[in-house]
Amino acid sequence: MNKKKIFNDPVYGFVTVPTELLFDLIEHPYFQRLRRIQQLGLTGFVYPGALHTRFHHALGAMHLMSMALRTLKDKGVQISAAEGQAALAAILLHDVGHGPLSHALETAIFDEVPHEQLSLYLMQRLNAEHNGALDRAIAIFQGSYARPFFHQLVSSQLDMDRLDYLNRDSFYTGVQEGRPGADRLIKMLTVVDERLALEEKAIYSVENFLVSRRLMYWQVYLHKTVTSAEQMIIRIVQRARDLVRSGHEVPASADLHFFLARAVTILDFEKDDTILQRFVQLDDHDIWGAVKMWASHSDRVLSYLSRSLLDRRLFKIILQTEPFEEEMKAGVVELIAEHFNLPPSEASMLMLTGRISNNAYDADGKDTIDVLTKSGRVVNVAEASDLPNIRALGQRVEKHYICYPKEIAQ
């Protein structure tokens, strides 16, 4: 059977699956599950085209990795066939541990169980199935491989993951200003002392990449209406979880109900092998199927939130730079209680507060974007650039939000 397949990607055109192992990984149920997990969660409520999946993204990131490896080889970096395949496998599987609706429910369903850790567990299982063929890929993914630039291509401030999701998300949302100029950045990659760097002439491309990233965060990922929708689905799942754990009947698929009924930690995943098997059965359909059922639940908070989300009656959201005063929050809860005839404890469930923040570049972090100057020095791009923008893009911007039903503001 010919496993060296070609598929047509709307962002990059024809993309090749170069080895049989990579084809087998793509065909595996763990990876096929990513077809049923949307890349951008509830962003489709704002950008109707943003319906692409983690499956799309992982294949796209693999394609960019193959371009990066080809560039480095052309510049004389020694990369064996085994290392190349391992790097492609690592980026292909980097998101295999994502749960339903991507990041939106990472804290609502589990208790501090990061998707990266679940990705690692699933990679280890796949490795066992393939008799150790993923040993090097796992080392690259974890950052323990002897040549650090491979890990940087998978996870850093300028990795193939970020380049693909910015490219892909700007394409599907139609936010063209968010395109990061991935082709040119990849062409400018080089390796110095086994660490990733960019040629000096890439400085302006890096600035464009960082500006694109900041724009995509505020215009897409942290868009205020997207924030409102995501906070609503989080509160819906939290409410369902609390009801289940207090003994109420809440319909859900068997695997979703399992996680609603108990506080599963990362230690539980390590101790009980069956929990991971339950996890890989979860996808967006479990959540939306449950939300449809919960829209007619006897609990008024759960049913109101569920019906509102299904019908896109999203909560009003207010953003500001300072935290909201307790008096204001208390006043909102009072208005909700009065309008919906709810006790204050339940009314508070219909007020959502928190904060969102973003910095496009962490110039002082341990994993900076480095530039190889013409004199042969390797320096942080923030120091190499004569553009004040790059240092400015490293400033963290934080906004506080409050969401509540629009009815109480009328």
Side-chain angles (χ1 to χ4, degrees), residues 46-47 216-228 317 319 356:
V46 177
Y47 295 99
M216 286 295 286
Y217 266 86
W218 290 122
Q219 200 166 323
V220 178
Y221 310 132
L222 300 177
H223 187 289
K224 68 175 192 173
T225 308
V226 174
T227 299
S228 173
I317 179 168
L319 294 173
I356 51 179

Side-chain angles (χ1 to χ4, degrees), residues 175-196:
V175 180
Q176 294 301 320
E177 306 92 327
R179 295 186 77 89
D183 288 2
R184 178 166 170 77
L185 284 167
I186 289 172
K187 292 293 183 193
M188 296 295 108
L189 288 174
T190 189
V191 170
V192 182
D193 296 331
E194 298 296 346
R195 292 193 64 81
L196 207 60

Side-chain angles (χ1 to χ4, degrees), residues 66-251:
S66 69
M67 288 174 59
L69 296 175
R70 199 175 312 125
T71 293
L72 295 177
K73 282 196 231 179
D74 289 345
K75 293 180 181 181
V77 180
Q78 296 298 310
I79 297 173
S80 68
E83 286 176 323
Q85 177 173 261
L88 291 169
I91 195 72
L92 183 73
L93 298 174
H94 77 283
D95 271 350
V96 75
H98 258 296
L101 296 178
S102 294
H103 291 282
L105 295 181
E106 206 161 342
T107 54
I109 294 180
F110 310 118
D111 184 16
E112 293 186 17
V113 180
H115 72 269
E116 295 89 351
Q117 192 64 47
L118 296 180
S119 291
L120 176 61
Y121 290 158
L122 292 173
M123 288 173 76
Q124 290 168 339
R125 282 197 171 202
L126 289 166
N127 193 33
E129 289 181 26
H130 288 89
N131 303 311
L134 295 177
D135 282 345
R136 190 183 270 109
I138 290 171
I140 289 172
F141 179 77
Q142 290 185 287
S144 60
Y145 191 60
R147 308 182 74 188
F149 76 87
F150 282 113
H151 176 72
Q152 288 178 290
L153 287 169
V154 174
S155 179
S156 67
Q157 292 201 72
L158 183 63
D159 55 32
M160 300 306 106
D161 173 28
R162 290 186 186 196
L163 286 180
D164 181 76
Y165 75 63
L166 290 173
N167 239 349
R168 191 168 299 279
D169 298 347
S170 63
F171 177 89
Y172 279 99
T173 57
V175 180
Q176 294 301 320
E177 306 92 327
R179 295 186 77 89
D183 288 2
R184 178 166 170 77
L185 284 167
I186 289 172
K187 292 293 183 193
M188 296 295 108
L189 288 174
T190 189
V191 170
V192 182
D193 296 331
E194 298 296 346
R195 292 193 64 81
L196 207 60
L198 287 158
E199 296 173 15
E200 189 172 9
K201 56 188 174 184
I203 286 176
Y204 298 106
S205 297
V206 173
E207 185 190 28
N208 176 59
F209 161 71
L210 295 176
V211 169
S212 298
R213 189 163 186 266
R214 176 156 227 156
L215 185 145
M216 286 295 286
Y217 266 86
W218 290 122
Q219 200 166 323
V220 178
Y221 310 132
L222 300 177
H223 187 289
K224 68 175 192 173
T225 308
V226 174
T227 299
S228 173
E230 289 188 345
Q231 291 307 310
M232 287 176 73
I233 191 68
I234 289 169
R235 183 54 55 89
I236 287 168
V237 174
Q238 288 172 339
R239 182 62 174 174
R241 180 193 67 194
D242 293 346
L243 288 169
V244 169
R245 293 179 192 178
S246 60
H248 292 82
E249 196 70 40
V250 180

Side-chain angles (χ1 to χ4, degrees), residues 34 36-41 44 50-54 101-102 284:
L34 299 182
R36 304 188 298 277
I37 296 180
Q38 283 189 15
Q39 171 77 4
L40 290 181
L51 303 176
H52 53 302
T53 65
R54 289 274 156 190
L101 296 178
S102 294
D284 291 5

Side-chain angles (χ1 to χ4, degrees), residues 366-384:
K366 62 174 183 176
D367 187 28
T368 55
I369 299 174
D370 292 333
V371 170
L372 175 63
T373 65
K374 291 186 176 71
S375 63
R377 290 175 58 238
V378 176
V379 298
N380 186 332
V381 68
E383 298 167 29

